[in-house]
């Protein structure tokens, strides 16, 4: 199947020239309810979902993390879901995360847990979101685990950074994802500099307009390299979340230069992407973690994974054609 082949270990560079435009258009089209219905019920969908999502249930994610731990690669457990619009939904997500932490403790997996703040109510009640987050961070700490915060669309960035700053006064270990493609990112980091922030550096996965985000791969990569250097100088235990080997080499070089060394940072990758590379780096004694999503709310996550790689578009177009 053409689409499946695209997910295999493939060292070719992704977006070039118009590819970014195609990805943005795809993310825009993916928001249309009719398109969502066609993809969700499309005949090809389940095979592709399986490639990127551990399964519908917590136990599926735990089993995947146990398998990764054998390599040895750590996990980053993620309950799929975002854009929650009512307090009951946010509380339910927090409860599910508490149950996940309990199960992580029982099974003794090596894993962190990653949350999206809109899942915990950020878009309608920042204080409630912070209360949920504090509860999760405290529970994680009590079992020797750490919490990570994903970064979402640009309209949530200021609040997410603010929530991180407030949480950090009690929970030093929390990690925040920061997106290299956003023009505002360096000033966000400068404002966090006094905390020696613990950051997951990502390129950024949403369709953002040009006045907010760099659009060209070349520009985003240059910004990413600059921010790697910034994090090794000013941050704590940086996580370089990318499958781009040139950027990972840049991080290893920065780690050597600053004396952090290969064990002084984390490499983070996504479930189902560059699996051989994950294993290869773990065998080179780098600290590798893989983001393992589970749950039934996989649609927006899957669309971002497809949009990231133009070669994945074949799946999408075939699903539409057959829908
Ligand atoms: P790039 O897209 O250039 O890919 C490099 C190579 O990796 C490609 O040539 C290809 O071989 C492979 N590859 C990458 N993506 C693929 C895919 N979907 N399918 C098949 N092959 C693929 N974003 C965000 O906005 N907020 C967040 O919180 C996070 N969190 C996060 C956590 C972790 C652990 C990772 C690895 C990534 C994220 N992201 C994210 C996503 C991130 O912003 C970005 O979209 C992807 O990582 C893809 O960018 P790369 O840096 O891998 O480079």
């Amino acid at each position: 199947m053409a689409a499946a082949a695209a997910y295999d270990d493939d060292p070719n560079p992704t977006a070039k020239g118009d590819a970014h435009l195609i990805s943005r258009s795809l993310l825009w089209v993916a928001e249309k309810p009719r398109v969502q219905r066609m993809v969700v019920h499309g005949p090809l969908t389940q095979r592709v979902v399986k490639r990127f999502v551990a399964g519908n249930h917590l136990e599926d994610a735990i089993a995947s993390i146990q398998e990764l731990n054998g390599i040895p690669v750590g996990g980053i457990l993620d309950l799929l879901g975002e854009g929650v619009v009512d307090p009951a939904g946010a509380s339910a997500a927090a409860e599910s995360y508490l149950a996940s932490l309990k199960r992580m403790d029982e099974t003794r997996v090596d894993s962190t847990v990653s949350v999206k703040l809109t899942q915990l109510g950020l878009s309608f009640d920042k204080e409630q979101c912070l209360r949920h987050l504090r509860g999760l961070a405290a529970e994680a700490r009590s079992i020797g685990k750490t919490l990570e915060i994903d970064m979402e669309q640009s309209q949530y960035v200021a609040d997410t950074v603010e929530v991180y700053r407030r949480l950090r006064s009690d929970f030093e270990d929390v990690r925040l994802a920061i997106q290299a493609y956003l023009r505002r990112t360096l000033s966000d980091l400068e404002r966090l500099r006094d905390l020696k922030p613990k950051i997951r550096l990502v390129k950024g996965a949403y369709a953002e307009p040009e006045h907010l985000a760099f659009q060209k791969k070349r520009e985003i990569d240059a910004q990413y390299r600059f921010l790697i250097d910034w994090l090794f100088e000013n941050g704590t235990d940086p996580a370089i979340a990318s499958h781009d080997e040139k950027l990972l080499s840049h991080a290893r070089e920065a780690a050597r230069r600053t004396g952090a060394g290969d064990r002084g940072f984390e490499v983070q990758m996504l479930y189902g992407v560059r699996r051989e590379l994950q294993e290869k780096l773990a065998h080179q004694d780098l600290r590798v973690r893989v983001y393992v999503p589970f749950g039934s709310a996989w649609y927006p996550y899957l669309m971002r994974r497809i949009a990231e790689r133009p070669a994945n578009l074949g799946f999408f177009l075939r699903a539409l054609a057959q829908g």
Side-chain angles (χ1 to χ4, degrees), residues 6-15 52 76 116 149-152 177-179 181 200 202-206 217 221 224 241-245 247 268-270 272-274 289-291 304-309 312:
Y7 310 123
D8 290 333
D9 248 46
D10 176 0
N12 296 326
T14 326
F52 290 108
I76 305 168
K116 285 192 171 43
I149 300 174
D150 290 350
M151 190 60 83
E152 301 174 69
I178 282 282
Q179 298 155 326
Y181 68 0
R200 171 204 305 160
V202 302
K203 286 189 182 174
Y206 299 86
K217 178 174 164 57
D221 287 356
Y224 198 105
S242 177
H243 313 88
D244 187 327
E245 287 181 82
L247 297 180
Q268 297 191 345
M269 296 197 195
L270 298 173
V273 179
R274 307 291 314 264
R289 271 193 194 284
V290 167
Y291 189 94
R304 289 196 290 275
R305 299 295 75 85
I306 289 174
E308 259 153 23
R309 181 137 175 80
N312 295 347

Side-chain angles (χ1 to χ4, degrees), residues 1 3-4 7-8 39-40 42-57 60-61 64 67 80 270-273 275 290-296 298-299 301-303 305-306 315:
M1 181 173 85
Y7 310 123
D8 290 333
V39 173
V40 168
L44 298 174
T45 303
Q46 280 312 315
R47 287 167 69 182
V48 185
V49 175
K50 273 204 188 110
R51 194 78 201 207
F52 290 108
V53 174
N56 277 341
H57 308 289
D60 299 324
S64 297
E67 204 178 303
L80 290 165
L270 298 173
Y271 181 84
V273 179
R275 280 173 292 200
V290 167
Y291 189 94
V292 179
F294 76 97
S296 51
W298 46 257
Y299 179 75
Y301 180 86
L302 181 72
M303 287 300 107
R305 299 295 75 85
I306 289 174
F315 149 73

Side-chain angles (χ1 to χ4, degrees), residues 87-99:
S91 299
E95 284 302 317
S96 297
Y97 268 114
L98 286 172

Side-chain angles (χ1 to χ4, degrees), residues 117-177:
L117 296 193
T118 65
Q119 209 174 0
L120 299 178
L122 183 74
S123 62
F124 57 87
D125 187 346
K126 200 177 358 177
E127 296 308 314
Q128 187 203 33
C129 172
L130 188 59
R131 276 195 300 281
H132 284 315
L133 208 53
R134 283 187 192 285
L136 295 180
E139 185 60 25
R141 179 156 67 192
S142 76
I143 60 166
K145 304 285 183 213
T146 52
L147 197 65
E148 310 199 18
I149 300 174
D150 290 350
M151 190 60 83
E152 301 174 69
Q153 292 93 331
S154 53
Q155 69 262 36
Y156 302 117
V157 172
D159 281 344
T160 302
V161 172
E162 184 205 319
V163 165
Y164 171 75
R165 173 174 269 291
R166 290 171 66 189
L167 192 70
R168 262 293 299 260
S169 52
D170 296 318
F171 299 96
E172 281 226 331
D173 240 13
V174 176
R175 192 186 286 288
L176 175 69

